[in-house]
Amino acid sequence: MTLTVVNNATCTFCGCVCDDIELHADDVRIVKAKKACVLGTAWFLNHTAERKYPDALIDGKEATLDEAIEVAATYLHEADMPLVYGMSNTTCEAQRECVALADLLGGLLDSHTSL
Amino acid sequence: MGGKVTCTLGEVKNRGDFIIYWGGNPAECHPRHFTKYALMPKSKFLPNGRKDRTVVLVDIRPTKSAKAADIFLQVRPGKDFELITILRAMIKDQKISAEAVAETGVTLEQCTDLVARMKKAKFGCVFFGMGLSMTRGKHMNSAALLTLAAEMNAFTKFVAMPMRGHGNVTGADVVMRWQTGYPFGITFNRGYPRYNPGEFSTVDVLVRGDADAAFIIGADPGATMPQPAIDHLARIPTIVLDPHITHTSKLSRVHITTAVAGISAPGTAYRMDEIPLPLKPALKSPYPTDEEVVRRIKESIAKKPFWMPDGAQMIAAQV
Ligand code: SF4
C-alpha cells in the first residue's frame, strides 16, 4: 500500500471551494485532509475507492453499466417531456454534457437553484 | 455574472473593510469563509486583519456566526424585504415611517447607524444566504439586496454575493448560462432554450405531473423535495447517477454508480464568486465518471430517430 500526498487539492463540500487542502491517501481511502474544516474533513474521509455498490441497478436488480446506459437512453428517448435535473455534486464537464443531453432530447433542464 | 454588482473573494480579502452577512450562518455552513476571505486575513489594504474590518450579521436569530460579528441585527422572520427597502430609502435620505421600521424588528437607531457605516465604508460587501433567498419573498429578496448594493455605489464601492451552498451549484448556473443564456428552469421543447421559473422549474413540473421521465444527477430530490413531487418521480421512469444508492435511487428504474467529483473524479468546480477551480482527485474510483456516463447516454440517444421530424437548430456542446 502506497501513501500518496496531493497538494493544493480542492474541496467541493461547500461554496468556499477551498483549493489549499493537503490530502494523504492510500489506495482506497483518504486518511488525512490538512487545512480542511470539520465539514471538509468529513467529506474527504467518508468517501472511499471501494466497490461498495453494484455498477448499476435496473428496477432494483443488479445490471451492467452497458445495459443501464441503453435502458436509460430508451426511457429518455421515448418520453415526451423528459427532465434533466440536479447537477449540484458534479463537475462542470458533466454539467456541459447534461445541457447537451437536454438539448438533444428537447427536454427540461433545471438545477437545485430553482428550489 | 448575470448583471450583479459583485467581485471575487480575493478582492473581499484584500479590500473589504465592511462586511454584512444577511440570512446566512457561515460559522457553521461555510466554516473557512471567515478565516480565508472575509474576516481574519491580513491583506494588502487591511494589514491588521480583523481589526480593520467591521462585520454585521442580519438574521432572524443569533446563530453561532453572531459571536463573530461586531453588530447583530435581529430581523423579524419574513421582514427582510421590508428592511432592505427601508435601507434603500434611507441611503437616499427619503422619509420613512416609524411604524414601517418597527415592523421589521430592527430599531430606527440601528438602521441609521447601519446606513452611516455603509456610507463610510471604503469597500462594502454583503453576502446573502438561504435565510434570505429561501424565505418569504424568495428571489425578490435577493433582487432587492442586489439593488441596495448597486445603489450604494453612488456613495462608495459596494458589492453583493450569494453564499452558495454545497457542491458545484455555482458551476451549474454558469454552465447553463454559457450554453443556453439562462441559469436554470429551462425547456428545449421548441428546439431552442426558453426560461420560465415556476413553469419549467422542477418542483412545479413534478407536482403538476408534467414530466414523463426524469434524469437525476448529483442531487437527491427524493430526500429534499415535497412529497407530491417525489410521488411523481416514483410514477415515471427515473434515472439516477450518483456515487451512492440514494433515496431517489430507491424509487428509480435505473441507478448508475459513478465516481465522486473531487475525490475520485477529475474536472472543474466553481467557487461562490464564480471562479473555476480544478479538482485534484486523490483516489482512483472503480466506477466511471458522471461525464463519461452522460456522454454515453447522449451518444446512444443520438443514434435513435430525432424527436423533431424536420430537425431544429441545435447548440453543439462546445469543447
Ligand atoms: S474545507 Fe470547509 S470551508 Fe473549505 S470548501 Fe471544504 S467544507 Fe467548505
Side-chain angles (χ1 to χ4, degrees):
Chain A
M1 211 173 265
T2 49
L3 190 76
T4 47
V5 176
V6 181
N7 279 312
N8 296 330
T10 309
C11 173
T12 58
F13 187 76
C14 84
C16 287
V17 190
C18 299
D19 58 345
D20 59 352
I21 317 285
E22 186 182 313
L23 296 178
H24 295 218
D26 60 26
D27 291 343
V28 288
R29 68 184 71 242
I30 295 165
V31 289
K32 202 194 247 170
K34 272 198 197 164
K35 293 204 190 151
C37 69
V38 275
L39 300 178
T41 307
W43 160 255
F44 279 118
L45 269 51
N46 284 342
H47 287 93
T48 65
E50 291 163 319
R51 187 176 275 278
K52 267 207 248 166
Y53 304 105
D55 284 342
L57 295 172
I58 299 175
D59 291 322
K61 288 188 201 67
E62 285 192 29
T64 65
L65 176 64
D66 293 347
E67 287 164 356
I69 286 176
E70 275 319 304
V71 175
T74 307
Y75 278 138
L76 291 172
H77 182 256
E78 279 172 0
D80 290 324
M81 201 181 193
L83 162 72
V84 176
Y85 171 78
M87 296 181 272
S88 299
N89 294 319
T90 191
T91 60
C92 293
E93 288 74 6
Q95 289 162 348
R96 182 179 65 189
E97 293 298 333
C98 289
V99 178
L101 175 68
D103 187 358
L104 179 69
L105 289 165
L108 296 152
L109 177 68
D110 192 28
S111 79
H112 198 79
T113 305
S114 75
L115 255 187
Chain B
M1 291 273 167
K4 34 180 197 292
V5 180
T6 189
C7 68
T8 64
L9 289 172
E11 288 178 272
V12 172
K13 172 184 168 182
N14 280 300
R15 298 171 188 274
D17 63 340
F18 189 74
I19 309 288
I20 303 176
Y21 287 103
W22 198 304
N25 183 8
E28 282 172 296
C29 303
H30 296 85
R32 294 183 73 201
H33 202 265
F34 288 162
T35 47
K36 270 193 87 177
Y37 306 114
L39 260 61
M40 299 311 182
K42 296 194 163 101
S43 57
K44 188 160 182 191
F45 300 110
L46 304 162
N48 303 316
R50 181 67 181 87
K51 286 198 206 84
D52 286 338
R53 296 180 176 91
T54 307
V55 181
V56 181
L57 179 77
V58 186
D59 210 340
I60 54 166
R61 63 195 158 83
T63 56
K64 267 200 183 157
S65 302
K67 283 196 205 79
D70 299 307
I71 301 167
F72 171 63
L73 301 179
Q74 187 156 6
V75 59
R76 207 164 276 159
K79 292 290 174 194
D80 297 280
F81 186 85
E82 285 79 352
L83 182 56
I84 297 166
T85 310
I86 287 167
L87 292 174
R88 283 183 57 202
M90 287 179 72
I91 61 168
K92 289 176 231 160
D93 297 319
Q94 283 166 0
K95 262 226 204 89
I96 40 153
S97 77
E99 301 91 78
V101 179
E103 251 184 46
T104 63
V106 178
T107 64
L108 184 61
E109 292 72 56
Q110 286 175 314
C111 290
T112 317
D113 177 59
L114 180 62
V115 166
R117 286 173 188 273
M118 282 164 73
K119 287 188 177 178
K120 260 205 339 247
K122 287 205 186 93
F123 191 115
C125 186
V126 33
F127 294 98
F128 55 99
M130 308 240 274
L132 181 73
S133 55
M134 295 288 179
T135 49
R136 178 177 168 262
K138 291 204 165 184
H139 63 275
M140 292 305 292
N141 293 344
S142 320
L145 199 65
L146 289 165
T147 312
L148 172 67
E151 287 172 348
M152 272 304 294
N153 283 272
F155 308 96
T156 185
K157 173 78 183 170
F158 224 92
V159 300
M161 193 187 299
M163 295 283 279
R164 299 309 299 276
H166 52 278
N168 191 15
V169 273
T170 310
D173 285 15
V174 172
V175 169
M176 281 190 270
R177 259 169 17 210
W178 159 49
Q179 286 281 295
T180 74
Y182 305 114
F184 57 88
I186 299 160
T187 182
F188 286 96
N189 68 357
R190 288 187 190 160
Y192 56 88
R194 289 185 300 145
Y195 167 73
N196 195 10
E199 186 179 6
F200 306 136
S201 35
T202 301
V203 175
D204 306 274
V205 164
L206 291 176
V207 169
R208 286 196 308 263
D210 283 352
D212 58 351
F215 179 82
I216 313 288
I217 171 171
D220 191 9
T224 52
M225 282 201 174
Q227 196 57 41
I230 298 173
D231 291 344
H232 190 65
L233 278 177
R235 269 196 298 272
I236 60 177
T238 296
I239 298 133
V240 175
L241 259 58
D242 206 278
H244 306 279
I245 306 271
T246 62
H247 292 271
T248 321
S249 306
K250 286 186 187 135
L251 52 83
S252 71
R253 303 291 291 274
V254 182
H255 163 92
I256 299 175
T257 312
T258 53
V260 190
I263 289 185
S264 50
T268 312
Y270 271 77
R271 203 164 69 184
M272 61 168 77
D273 54 348
E274 304 192 358
I275 299 295
L277 293 163
L279 304 179
K280 290 192 172 176
L283 301 175
K284 264 208 175 59
S285 176
Y287 304 109
T289 62
D290 285 334
E291 183 191 357
E292 182 190 336
V293 176
V294 183
R295 185 184 307 120
R296 287 186 58 192
I297 293 175
K298 192 189 75 187
E299 283 165 1
S300 168
I301 293 170
K303 289 196 200 105
K304 303 177 196 289
F306 188 53
W307 63 278
M308 211 186 232
D310 54 350
Q313 183 114 44
M314 306 295 290
I315 307 169
Q318 294 172 28
V319 182

